[in-house]
Amino acid sequence: MTSKAIALPQLSGFTEREGAWYAEEIPLADLAKEFGTPLYVYSKKALTEAYQAYDKACIDQQGKRRARVHYAMKANSNLAVIDCFKKLGAGFDLVSGGELARALAIGADPKSLVFAGVGKSATEIASALQAGVKCINVESIAELHNINRVASKLNCRAPISLRVNPDVDAKTHPYISTGLKGNKFGIAYHEVLKTYREASQLPQIDLVGIDCHIGSQITTTAPYLDALDKVLDLVENLKREGIMIHHLDLGGGLGISYSDETPPDITEFTNTLLNHVANRGFAHLDIVLEPGRSLVGNAGVLLTTVEYLKPGVEKNFCIVDAAMTELMRPALYEAHHGIVAAQTKSAKSSTYDVVGPVCESGDWLGRDRTLAVEEGDLLAILSAGAYGFVMASNYNTRPKPAEIMVDGKNAYVIRAREKTAELFASETILPN
Ligand code: LLP
């Protein structure tokens, strides 16, 4: 039995039926048996439902589209995941040349791509311009001039937005807060108008939008509305100066429930923001939303097998075959992920720290979890669909796990498990 003291998140693709956990119609235990562990498992149904919740709010009562979802693929960039979103109608938010290559590999329309990031290289900027992306979000004056230079060399025009740092406290973990003036992101609020004026004088630059992102795992709407008001004030000022922009990018960041958090419902949240834009007289602007976590976070779990139970004086350890290498969030942010036994056992329950085999005391996946488990049992680490696999590493020469997408009764390998030999195949020893 799993501890009742810590609430589990609401999940749509994963359910417990008579003591066994399922991904859609397949028992997790069957997936572990067939594909081994550690194993990432995603539910197509869960990510589809999350997307549709956003999309529903993007269409107004007259059937007119008032916003578009650009999935922030940094949350989970597996080709099968992004291809599902593409087929549902999503555009993408990218932060590297690598993510651009992934988008192009699935045949995404370049005009559905926005390219963000605080330190884009000239090569990445050139690739984005050559691909013909919808917009590059600019994060500094130096970058603005670099984009102008690259566009000039390529003899093309660069469609850009300036990313505003609105100095709004998103009240989230400091590592994932991005809209405070002490953060490295965006152009300082008081410098934005000046920078638009400067940009309007640059020969290769087309000013097409304005952008803002205040952080991630935000569980209330209020900081969004604060940031939105500040950005709309800027749009008003720009209009007065004759600088007309066409789209407003509100970033991503809506949080999910990992335990007992109660983030706003996606449709309600989106409606609130879009209605606010319309009420302030900006309904003519195209709105871009860049959700990541809220589309995939609760659409994925990480399966892991218990290797050893190690009772201790101060703590009992449940040592599993997944580690910070597969799921870095607990080590990096002290993040909480629900952990359940994939099949309920009659074993005696105890309180454990669930830890991996990596040589770091920071290598833990859950602390003080009450679990009834034995060696060889299967655990599911919940809410692992976002910032899970994408942040995995090969530390300790550990191969990255396989990824599976479940669609009803079918399971598809969407990334094969890495083989140990692949990890050093591109290394060479010195000649004698
Ligand atoms: N747009 C921009 C410009 C962003 O920087 C981000 C996330 C997003 C959209 C998507 O935000 P989301 O909807 O996923 O919150 N690794 C951390 C999260 C880092 C988020 C970085 N930026 C974690 O595991 O919590």
Side-chain angles (χ1 to χ4, degrees):
M1 278 258 302
T2 308
S3 168
K4 291 281 175 240
I6 305 174
L8 294 179
Q10 295 284 321
L11 302 169
S12 69
F14 301 90
T15 45
E16 187 187 7
R17 301 177 206 164
E18 291 161 18
W21 277 81
Y22 283 67
E24 301 196 13
E25 300 309 319
I26 309 182
L28 294 182
D30 290 4
L31 293 171
K33 207 162 161 191
E34 186 169 354
F35 303 107
T37 59
L39 184 73
Y40 272 99
V41 179
Y42 310 120
S43 154
K44 185 175 175 206
K45 171 177 181 273
L47 57 86
T48 303
E49 286 177 2
Y51 180 85
Q52 286 169 342
Y54 273 105
D55 206 47
K56 197 168 141 204
C58 288
I59 315 276
D60 72 11
Q61 280 164 352
Q62 284 71 48
K64 185 177 159 272
R65 178 165 291 281
R66 49 183 188 164
R68 201 165 280 281
V69 174
H70 291 243
Y71 168 57
M73 73 159 78
K74 64 173 78 69
N76 185 329
S77 56
N78 184 290
L79 294 190
V81 171
I82 60 176
D83 186 58
C84 280
F85 286 127
K86 187 194 82 174
K87 288 178 176 143
L88 288 165
F92 297 100
D93 161 54
L94 322 168
V95 287
S96 70
E99 290 190 350
L100 172 63
R102 282 180 180 272
L104 298 176
I106 58 151
D109 176 1
K111 287 283 160 262
S112 74
L113 307 177
V114 292
F115 189 26
V118 77
K120 299 171 210 79
S121 69
T123 311
E124 288 177 316
I125 293 165
S127 308
L129 291 176
Q130 279 164 331
V133 300
K134 173 186 168 77
C135 181
I136 300 182
N137 293 341
V138 177
E139 302 229 9
S140 65
I141 297 168
E143 189 198 4
L144 175 66
H145 285 278
N146 198 23
I147 294 172
N148 188 55
R149 266 194 306 275
V150 175
S152 169
K153 269 195 208 140
L154 294 173
N155 196 21
C156 68
R157 303 198 59 80
I160 66 133
S161 288
L162 296 189
R163 174 170 174 177
V164 177
N165 181 324
D167 195 23
V168 162
D169 187 357
K171 300 202 166 53
T172 184
H173 189 286
Y175 285 10
I176 53 175
S177 167
T178 58
L180 281 166
K181 60 175 181 255
N183 297 136
K184 68 178 175 181
F185 296 99
I187 293 173
Y189 192 77
H190 67 278
E191 290 189 339
V192 173
L193 288 177
K194 191 178 84 182
T195 313
Y196 267 102
R197 275 180 222 124
E198 194 169 329
S200 70
Q201 300 304 313
L202 294 175
Q204 311 298 132
I205 298 288
D206 283 338
L207 290 169
V208 295
I210 191 162
D211 168 50
C212 169
H213 173 79
I214 54 173
S216 196
Q217 187 51 16
I218 302 168
T219 50
T220 58
T221 312
Y224 267 100
L225 289 173
D226 289 352
L228 180 56
D229 271 327
K230 289 182 105 170
V231 173
L232 290 177
D233 290 347
L234 290 172
V235 181
E236 248 160 25
N237 282 315
L238 287 173
K239 191 174 163 198
R240 240 174 261 136
E241 297 197 18
I243 299 177
M244 306 302 274
I245 53 155
H246 312 292
H247 79 250
L248 165 54
D249 183 340
L250 298 177
L254 181 62
I256 61 167
S257 158
Y258 284 96
S259 164
D260 50 9
E261 302 92 333
T262 49
D265 163 79
I266 291 178
T267 313
E268 212 178 283
F269 165 81
T270 309
N271 266 325
T272 306
L273 296 185
L274 297 180
N275 291 345
H276 193 74
V277 171
N279 292 341
R280 279 204 53 184
F282 293 98
H284 59 284
L285 288 177
D286 288 335
I287 307 295
V288 170
L289 303 170
E290 297 173 352
R293 187 192 314 266
S294 48
L295 285 174
V296 288
N298 273 328
V301 300
L302 171 61
L303 299 185
T304 183
T305 303
V306 177
E307 297 280 15
Y308 303 105
L309 296 177
K310 182 173 174 181
V313 182
E314 280 189 21
K315 292 244 171 203
N316 297 318
F317 294 101
C318 173
I319 304 171
V320 297
D321 66 357
M324 64 190 287
T325 40
E326 281 72 33
L327 183 65
M328 198 191 324
R329 303 192 69 259
L332 195 57
Y333 317 114
E334 303 202 17
H336 172 91
H337 286 259
I339 301 181
V340 296
Q343 260 172 326
T344 306
K345 282 279 177 69
S346 51
K348 187 172 147 287
S349 79
S350 293
T351 303
Y352 296 100
D353 274 12
V354 179
V355 299
V358 163
C359 305
E360 302 260 352
S361 291
D363 176 29
W364 58 275
L365 297 165
R367 284 184 173 146
D368 298 324
R369 303 303 176 88
T370 307
L371 295 165
V373 283
E374 291 164 348
E375 289 172 10
D377 281 359
L378 183 67
L379 299 181
I381 304 177
L382 308 179
S383 316
Y387 306 110
F389 185 91
V390 284
M391 292 173 74
S393 80
N394 293 117
Y395 187 38
N396 284 195
T397 307
R398 289 171 56 82
K400 288 187 189 161
E403 292 175 286
I404 304 291
M405 174 95 74
V406 170
D407 181 11
K409 289 188 172 125
N410 298 313
Y412 301 92
V413 180
I414 58 169
R415 192 180 206 272
R417 186 177 301 284
E418 282 182 349
K419 295 187 177 67
T420 303
E422 289 168 5
L423 303 190
F424 48 84
S426 56
E427 298 174 19
T428 22
I429 55 175
L430 297 185
N432 285 330

